[in-house]
Amino acid sequence: MNKEELISQVEKIDGWMPTEELSVLYELGMKYIHEDGIACEIGSWKGRSTFLLASICREKGARFISIDTFAGSPDQAYATYSEALAN
């Protein structure tokens, strides 16, 4: 899947990472994720960047580890997703 196709798929996932940042993340993933390597994401929340990075890892034959408590955080943005956390 090329960059545009992958980002188009990722944009269907609810989340906050804008297209410009997805594009940069794609470029970084393609540059630094290597066959038999391991990529780790800390803080995956809704999964936009997770899906993108996992797709790159799958294509390149690397492992992907995603870490998140899914408990949110009591910071300023907490109110924006507290309802989603309740579900």
Side-chain angles (χ1 to χ4, degrees):
M1 189 176 321
N2 69 34
K3 179 180 179 178
E4 290 76 23
E5 292 170 333
L6 180 55
I7 290 177
S8 177
Q9 291 294 311
V10 171
E11 288 178 325
K12 295 176 184 175
I13 300 169
D14 190 24
W16 297 286
M17 183 171 276
T19 302
E20 298 79 25
E21 290 179 20
L22 290 168
S23 181
V24 170
L25 186 59
Y26 177 89
E27 295 299 330
L28 290 169
M30 293 302 288
K31 181 175 181 178
Y32 292 108
I33 296 172
H34 300 285
E35 183 178 358
D36 296 324
I38 299 173
C40 179
E41 177 184 37
I42 300 173
S44 56
W45 183 224
K46 291 190 174 189
R48 289 186 101 176
S49 55
T50 303
F51 185 88
L52 185 132
L53 290 170
S55 297
I56 293 170
C57 285
R58 180 183 222 180
E59 178 182 322
K60 292 186 165 232
R63 287 183 53 203
F64 182 71
I65 300 168
S66 181
I67 300 169
D68 202 302
T69 64
F70 299 101
S73 60
D75 61 12
Q76 191 174 19
Y78 182 79
T80 63
Y81 55 84
S82 62
E83 183 177 320
L85 290 171
N87 296 327

